[in-house]
Amino acid sequence: MRTSPVLCLTALAGKSLATFDPREATIASTHHDIYTGLATCRDVVTSFLSRIEKLNNHTNAIIALDPAALDLADEFDEKLAANNATYVPLSCIPILLKDNYDTASIPTTGGNLDLSKSQPSIDAPAVAALKKAGAIILGKANLHELALEGLSVSSLGGQTINPYDYTRTPGGSSGGTGAAIASSFAVFGTGSDTVNSLRSPASANSLFSCRPTRGLISRAGIVPISYTQDVIGPIARSVGDVATALTVMASVGYDASDNATSLVPAGIEGTDYALGLSAGSLKGKRFGLLEGFFNRTASNETSPVNQAMANITAKLHRAGATVVPITDSLYNATAILKLDTQRYEYREEMNAYLQRASLGGEHPETLNELYASKKFVVIPSQYEYVNTALVSSTGNATYNTVQAGIQNLTLALQRTFTAHDLDAIIYPEQKNIVVPIGSASQSGRNGILAALTGTPVVTVPVGFSPASATAPRGIPIGMEILGRSWTEALLLQIAWQIEQFGSIRRIPEWAEEVVDIKTYDAVPSITPNRGNINAAYPLGNLA
Ligand SMILES: *[C@@H]1O[C@H](CO)[C@@H](O)[C@H](O)[C@H]1NC(C)=O
Ligand SMILES: *[C@@H]1O[C@H](CO)[C@@H](O)[C@H](O)[C@H]1NC(C)=O
Ligand SMILES: *[C@@H]1O[C@H](CO)[C@@H](O)[C@H](O)[C@H]1NC(C)=O
Ligand SMILES: *[C@@H]1O[C@H](CO)[C@@H](O)[C@H](O)[C@H]1NC(C)=O
Ligand SMILES: *[C@@H]1O[C@H](CO)[C@@H](O)[C@H](O)[C@H]1NC(C)=O
Ligand SMILES: *[C@@H]1O[C@H](CO)[C@@H](O)[C@H](O)[C@H]1NC(C)=O
Ligand SMILES: *[C@@H]1O[C@H](CO)[C@@H](O)[C@H](O)[C@H]1NC(C)=O
Ligand SMILES: *[C@@H]1O[C@H](CO)[C@@H](O)[C@H](O)[C@H]1NC(C)=O
Ligand SMILES: *[C@@H]1O[C@H](CO)[C@@H](O)[C@H](O)[C@H]1NC(C)=O
C-alpha cells in the first residue's frame, strides 16, 4: 500500500457539492468526484441507496441491503478529511454481491427461503479482498434459486425482471446482479458461473463480465454446485472496471480451502489486469468463430443475434483481425452438455458448505434436508436434475467417464487453438435473445464449453434487437471471447479494443431517471417482491 498522491486535495473533501451522478459511474469517475471534492463518500453511497430504494420495483433485482454501508462511507470521509486515507484500488466504490457470496454482515441465502437465516460468521475470501481494497458492499442481488438455472426466479427474491424489457428474464443465474448493474444501482457487481451464469446476465443486460480460468479466484465461501465447473468473477459496465475488480478478487491468491487455487502459474499470480489494457491491438489477431454455436433459422428471436455477430465480425476484420470459421461438429453446445458434472458433485459440495463450523444462523445440514423443507422453487425442466443430484455422488461409476470426456474435450479445444493459430474463440453467449418470463428454461446458451474446460471468457455487448412495444431500446446481445487458460490479460485487451469501436451499451430507458439523494440515518430496508413468481414455477414442488 502506498500513500495516495491525491491527498493534497483533501481540503475540499467533506464540503460536498452534491454533483455525483451515479448513472453509468465507473471506478475512475467515482474516484475523480471524491478526490476533487465534488462528492463525499456518503454522497456516493446515498445516491446509489436512493436509486435502489426508489427504482428497485422495476426489476426486483435487490434482495437485501447491508446496514454497514453508511458507517463505512463516513469512516472513509473522516479519514480523507484527516489526511489519513491509504491508497487502495476500490476506495469507496459501492458494489453489489450475488447472494451466494458469504457475508458476515448479512445472511447468505442463495435466494432460497430455507436459507433466509443462514448466517456466515466470516466473509468469503473474495468478499474480504474486495472490502480490504476499499469497496463498500451495498447489499445482495437476487439470483436464480441456488444458481441452478438462468431465469433468475427464487423463492426468497421472486422474479427479477430484465431492465430493457419487462416481459423478459434478465438471464442468469446472476440475473439480479446483471439487472442491478445495468440500472446503475452500484459501480459493479459480482456473480458466479457453473455453466453460463456470469455471461448470460452480461449478455442480457449489455454489460461486460469475466469468467476467470478455474483456480484464479478462490471459491471458498460461495454457495457451491460443482467443484469442476464453479468459478466467480465481476460484472461491470466497462472493461476497465471488470479488470480492476478481477485483479482485486484474484488477489486472494492461494487458498487452502479451495485447492484449485494451486493451479495458478507463478507468472500469473499478482497480475494487475487493469495495467496495459490499452496496450493490445486487434491487428493481426486471429479469432475462431464457432459455427455450431449459432441458430441460423431466421426468427425474431435468433436473427438479431446473428446480425449482431455479423456486425462485430465485420468490425474485427476492419480492425485488421482475421476471423476463421470453425465448423468442427464437436462444437455443439447441446451435445457437450452431456458432460455436465453438476448432478454428481452438487450434493457433496452443498453438504460440505452447509456443515462448515463457520456457518451460523438457521440452516439445513444437508441438501436433502433443504429440499425436504418444501421452501424452494425448482422450475419443472429441472426436476430430473435435482432429483438425480439428491441420490448421486462423485462415487457413481459414470462420473469417471464424464471426467474422461472432459479431458478429451479440453485436448480437442487446445488442438483447435493450435491448428488454426488462434488468439481467442468467439461466439454469441446465447443463440437467441434472452427468453421471456415464464419460459421452461433459459434455452440456447453456449456457456458449457468454458465451464467444462475451465477456460476464461470475457463477455462483451455487441448489439440490440430492434425496439418494440415492451423494449423501447431493444434487448441486449452479448458475445463470448474464450481464451486458453490464464489468458485473461489478453482477453481483456481484446475486449478493451472492442469497447473502443464505440459504445454499444445503452442505459435502460426508465433508469435514466435522476433520483433525488435522500438523507439517511440508517441504511433503508428493502423488500423483494416474492409475489411476482410465474405460476409455471410452483413453490416446494419437485415432482
Ligand atoms: C414503482 O414504484 C413507483 C412509486 O411507487 C411507481 O410509480 C411505479 O409505477 C412502480 N414501477 C413499477 C414498474 O412497478
Ligand atoms: C489514521 O488511521 C489509523 C487507522 O486506519 C488510526 O489508527 C489513526 O488513529 C488515524 N490517525 C489520525 C490522525 O486520524
Ligand atoms: C481438492 O478439494 C476437493 C474438494 O474440496 C476434494 O474433493 C479433493 O480431494 C481435493 N484434491 C486434492 C488432490 O487434495
Ligand atoms: C432455432 O430457432 C428457431 C426459431 O426461433 C427455433 O424454433 C428452434 O427451436 C431453434 N433451434 C434449436 C436447435 O434450438
Ligand atoms: C416479429 O417482429 C415483427 C416486427 O417487429 C412483428 O411484426 C412480428 O409480429 C413478429 N413476429 C412474431 C412471430 O412475434
Ligand atoms: C447437436 O447435438 C444434438 C444432441 O446431441 C443433436 O440433436 C443435434 O442434431 C446436433 N446438432 C448438429 C447441428 O449436429
Ligand atoms: C448415481 O447412482 C444412483 C444410484 O444408482 C442413481 O440413482 C443416479 O441416477 C446416478 N447418477 C447419475 C448422474 O447418473
Ligand atoms: C476420448 O478420446 C479417445 C481417443 O479419441 C477415445 O478413444 C475415447 O473413447 C474418448 N473418451 C471419452 C470418454 O469420450
Ligand atoms: C448491425 O449494424 C447495423 C448497421 O450499423 C445496425 O443498423 C444494426 O442495428 C446492427 N444490428 C444489431 C443486431 O445490433
Side-chain angles (χ1 to χ4, degrees):
M1 255 178 237
R2 58 192 168 85
T3 307
S4 168
V6 295
L7 291 185
C8 53
L9 295 168
T10 51
L12 284 169
K15 296 191 183 64
S16 163
L17 306 175
T19 57
F20 180 74
D21 187 349
R23 295 170 304 168
E24 304 297 295
T26 61
I27 295 169
S29 76
T30 305
H31 281 169
H32 171 271
D33 286 5
I34 290 173
Y35 290 130
T36 58
L38 287 172
T40 62
C41 185
R42 184 174 252 270
D43 292 334
V44 169
V45 168
T46 52
S47 70
F48 283 109
L49 289 176
S50 303
R51 276 182 78 74
I52 294 171
E53 200 187 8
K54 174 108 191 274
L55 302 177
N56 193 46
N57 66 341
H58 285 266
T59 58
N60 199 32
I62 305 303
I63 269 189
L65 293 174
D66 189 331
L70 284 174
D71 291 342
L72 288 169
D74 290 344
E75 210 174 281
F76 176 88
D77 285 330
E78 277 158 31
K79 279 191 181 166
L80 193 58
N83 217 356
N84 193 19
T86 42
Y87 176 81
V88 282
L90 298 178
S91 296
C92 187
I93 296 301
I95 67 169
L96 288 160
L97 303 175
K98 183 178 186 177
D99 198 14
N100 61 355
Y101 278 59
D102 276 4
T103 46
S105 49
I106 42 177
T108 294
T109 71
N112 173 244
L113 272 175
D114 205 32
L115 292 177
S116 61
K117 292 178 181 153
S118 186
Q119 181 57 67
S121 61
I122 50 175
D123 292 328
V127 173
L130 287 161
K131 283 164 78 168
K132 188 173 162 214
I136 296 182
I137 294 163
L138 295 179
K140 299 290 209 49
N142 196 23
L143 63 157
H144 193 97
E145 180 121 353
L146 297 167
L148 294 182
E149 234 292 347
L151 300 170
S152 294
V153 58
S154 75
S155 56
L156 185 87
Q159 173 71 58
T160 295
I161 295 160
N162 192 298
Y164 293 90
D165 181 342
Y166 66 85
T167 70
R168 302 243 173 198
T169 61
S173 64
S174 315
T177 304
I181 302 308
S183 316
S184 293
F185 285 180
V187 174
F188 69 86
T190 68
S192 60
D193 186 324
T194 306
V195 187
N196 288 288
S197 295
L198 278 159
R199 295 166 281 163
S200 153
S203 174
N205 293 284
S206 205
L207 299 167
F208 298 89
S209 71
C210 179
R211 175 190 161 100
T213 309
R214 188 168 74 97
L216 185 67
I217 305 177
S218 169
R219 304 165 294 180
I222 311 298
V223 181
I225 301 173
S226 160
Y227 177 80
T228 303
Q229 294 168 222
D230 288 349
V231 298
I232 63 170
I235 302 180
R237 293 182 292 270
S238 71
V239 177
D241 286 358
V242 167
T244 301
L246 182 72
T247 303
V248 169
M249 293 173 80
S251 72
V252 172
Y254 173 70
D255 177 3
S257 49
D258 178 5
N259 57 21
T261 55
S262 326
L263 294 167
V264 183
I268 294 298
E269 215 171 73
T271 300
D272 185 339
Y273 294 98
L275 278 182
L277 263 187
S278 60
S281 165
L282 291 171
K283 209 171 162 73
K285 288 278 184 306
R286 290 176 60 83
F287 296 97
L289 181 72
L290 293 188
E291 279 299 330
F293 280 19
F294 286 78
N295 180 341
R296 297 291 189 188
T297 306
S299 76
N300 284 358
E301 303 299 309
T302 53
S303 300
V305 174
N306 295 335
Q307 195 195 25
M309 286 302 297
N311 284 357
I312 185 71
T313 303
K315 286 180 189 168
L316 290 171
H317 274 302
R318 280 201 294 276
T322 303
V323 180
V324 189
I326 307 289
T327 52
D328 190 331
S329 63
L330 171 70
Y331 297 112
N332 173 335
T334 313
I336 294 173
L337 259 182
K338 71 173 187 294
L339 300 175
D340 193 310
T341 60
Q342 296 177 76
R343 282 174 178 73
Y344 303 94
E345 296 177 334
Y346 187 32
R347 188 166 56 93
E348 289 173 0
E349 288 283 312
M350 255 318 245
N351 289 353
Y353 173 88
L354 292 168
Q355 286 161 22
R356 287 167 312 151
S358 64
L359 191 64
E362 294 167 29
H363 58 83
E365 294 292 313
T366 64
L367 187 66
N368 294 69
E369 211 181 292
L370 186 155
Y371 282 110
S373 76
K374 300 283 176 200
K375 293 192 277 183
F376 59 79
V377 166
V378 172
I379 59 170
S381 62
Q382 287 219 308
Y383 290 166
E384 181 274 330
Y385 159 63
V386 174
N387 280 318
T388 305
L390 289 175
V391 296
S392 304
S393 73
T394 55
N396 274 49
T398 40
Y399 180 65
N400 293 330
T401 315
V402 165
Q403 286 291 357
I406 292 175
Q407 284 295 332
N408 274 9
L409 179 65
T410 306
L411 294 174
L413 179 62
Q414 289 298 324
R415 185 63 204 142
T416 299
F417 269 99
T418 311
H420 298 278
D421 189 20
L422 302 177
D423 294 287
I425 284 176
I426 55 174
Y427 49 89
E429 202 293 322
Q430 192 164 14
K431 300 178 183 82
N432 39 272
I433 49 182
V434 73
V435 303
I437 288 169
S439 298
S441 68
Q442 192 60 261
S443 56
R445 295 181 297 168
N446 290 319
I448 189 70
L449 179 60
L452 295 179
T453 57
T455 43
V457 173
V458 172
T459 302
V460 298
V462 288
F464 277 84
S465 70
S468 71
T470 57
R473 299 209 160 147
I475 299 158
I477 295 159
M479 176 174 82
E480 295 197 26
I481 309 170
L482 181 152
R484 293 181 189 255
S485 292
W486 316 112
T487 61
E488 281 84 353
L490 169 67
L491 300 181
L492 287 163
Q493 284 182 346
I494 291 168
W496 190 89
Q497 293 289 336
I498 290 175
E499 196 179 27
Q500 308 313 304
F501 287 156
S503 183
I504 292 287
R505 196 192 137 62
R506 309 163 185 163
I507 190 166
E509 193 177 59
W510 59 266
E512 273 184 0
E513 180 172 341
V514 177
V515 175
D516 289 339
I517 301 185
K518 285 174 64 169
T519 309
Y520 293 105
D521 296 327
V523 171
S525 63
I526 194 109
T527 313
N529 182 3
R530 285 175 203 162
N532 73 348
I533 299 178
N534 190 282
Y537 317 133
L539 218 70
N541 194 0
L542 204 41

